[in-house]
Amino acid sequence: MAHNPHAPQGPAGGHDPAGSTQMFRAFVDEEGPRPPAATQSSGPRVGLIVGIVAVVAVIAAVVWFALS
């Protein structure tokens, strides 16, 4: 029978036969530390609020002109 290194051979233990976990960890280590996502500025939130206010103002203007 031919040797297949990717075939399961008994209890796996901590070994990843495909090596994907080890490759992923090496990739993450190469990228270096990143700042946490929670420290982002509030820029997008302010833009969303301004956009909502603008949409409400446009709808109010359309209703105002329709009823006049």
Side-chain angles (χ1 to χ4, degrees):
M1 201 150 123
H3 174 68
N4 184 355
H6 298 291
Q9 299 172 358
H15 178 67
D16 184 6
S20 60
T21 304
Q22 288 85 357
M23 289 189 298
F24 175 73
R25 287 182 180 160
F27 171 75
V28 170
D29 290 342
E30 282 180 6
E31 293 296 312
R34 294 184 183 181
T39 62
Q40 292 179 351
S41 65
S42 61
R45 185 178 304 169
V46 172
L48 179 65
I49 292 171
V50 169
I52 291 172
V53 169
V55 168
V56 170
V58 169
I59 292 173
V62 169
V63 171
W64 177 267
F65 288 125
L67 297 177
S68 297

